[in-house]
């Protein structure tokens, strides 16, 4: 099985060491911070899929964008026609989140919204999952996200405003067979979002958690095998991007895409036996 990343570069050849793009240098690349009247959004995983669609949606409303991913060329394609600044970096690298946050804040002086969209997946039986792949999924989907939020958050608190948007998955709410580690990482993000939201009450900084069903991107096709669940239709990246945009505009704490996806979550609490039966059947 193979790993795939949202907003990641093309996978290296089998047996080759993965590319580790250098983290952005704040002082060298961008000069003094820009004085901006426009709101600033930092979007990770922005070279494709949900991240790229979200970046384009924010650009439509005139936001200043900071785009992160591992592939500079694809980031530049996302940025085409906008004033977005590309900040290529590997968030799974030890100092990746810290250096990205420093570069973002040096470039624009602030981050009003962080959309944490970078992530990778792995599909297959957990007993067959290599230990290195367990570490890689947790490193990017969970650890890197938490560290990036930790680096950006103090500036938001100091400004008395801001919003952190975390991209979750229905896999993290109900658990999906043969996606155990991915499900675990997304479930942890859900708990993190809820705990952080309570901690930030009264600071002016909000936390939005987005729960989405499978999305029609290369993410699922490159996670080890194509998405093949007949009972679940994939939605477009634009649907998720629109939901993220509306959630930020309306200061919403949680959003399901599509909206009916909230039903399995509620069913688990209200009718756990029925929920268990359905989960066993549809997985």
């Amino acid at each position: 099985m193979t790993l795939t990343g949202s907003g990641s570069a093309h996978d290296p050849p089998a047996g080759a060491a993965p590319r580790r793009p250098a983290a952005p240098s704040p002082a060298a690349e961008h000069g003094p911070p820009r004085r901006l009247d426009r709101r600033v959004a930092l979007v990770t995983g922005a070279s494709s899929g949900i991240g790229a669609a979200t970046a384009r949606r924010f650009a439509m409303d005139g936001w200043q964008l900071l785009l992160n991913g591992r592939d500079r060329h694809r980031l530049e394609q996302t940025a085409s026609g906008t004033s977005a600044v590309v900040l290529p970096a590997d968030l799974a690298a030890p100092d990746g989140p810290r250096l990205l946050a420093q570069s973002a804040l040096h470039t624009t002086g602030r981050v009003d919204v962080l959309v944490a969209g970078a992530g990778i997946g792995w599909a297959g039986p957990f007993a067959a999952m290599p230990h290195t792949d367990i570490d890689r999924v947790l490193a990017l989907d969970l650890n890197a996200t938490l560290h990036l939020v930790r680096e950006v958050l103090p500036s938001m608190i100091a400004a008395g405003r801001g919003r952190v948007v975390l991209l979750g998955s229905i896999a993290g709410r109900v658990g999906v067979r043969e996606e155990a580690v991915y499900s675990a990482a997304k479930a942890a993000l859900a708990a993190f979002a809820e705990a952080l939201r309570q901690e930030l009450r009264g600071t002016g900084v909000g936390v939005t958690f987005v729960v989405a069903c499978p999305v029609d991107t290369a993410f699922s096709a490159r996670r080890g095998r194509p998405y093949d669940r007949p009972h679940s239709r994939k939605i477009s990246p634009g649907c998720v991007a629109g939901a993220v945009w509306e959630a930020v505009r309306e200061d919403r704490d949680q959003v399901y895409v599509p909206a009916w996806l909230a039903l399995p979550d509620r069913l688990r609490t209200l009718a756990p036996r029925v929920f268990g039966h359905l989960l066993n059947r549809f997985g």
Side-chain angles (χ1 to χ4, degrees), residues 83-95:
S83 61
V85 177
V86 300
L87 302 175
D90 185 358
L91 290 178
D95 282 339

Side-chain angles (χ1 to χ4, degrees), residues 2 8 24 26 29 34 42 52 63 92 106 113 130 176 251 256 265 268:
T2 57
S8 64
E29 280 197 21
R34 302 180 182 185
L42 170 60
W63 284 59
H106 187 88
V113 170
V176 175
D251 294 327
Y256 291 86
D265 214 3
R268 179 177 55 179

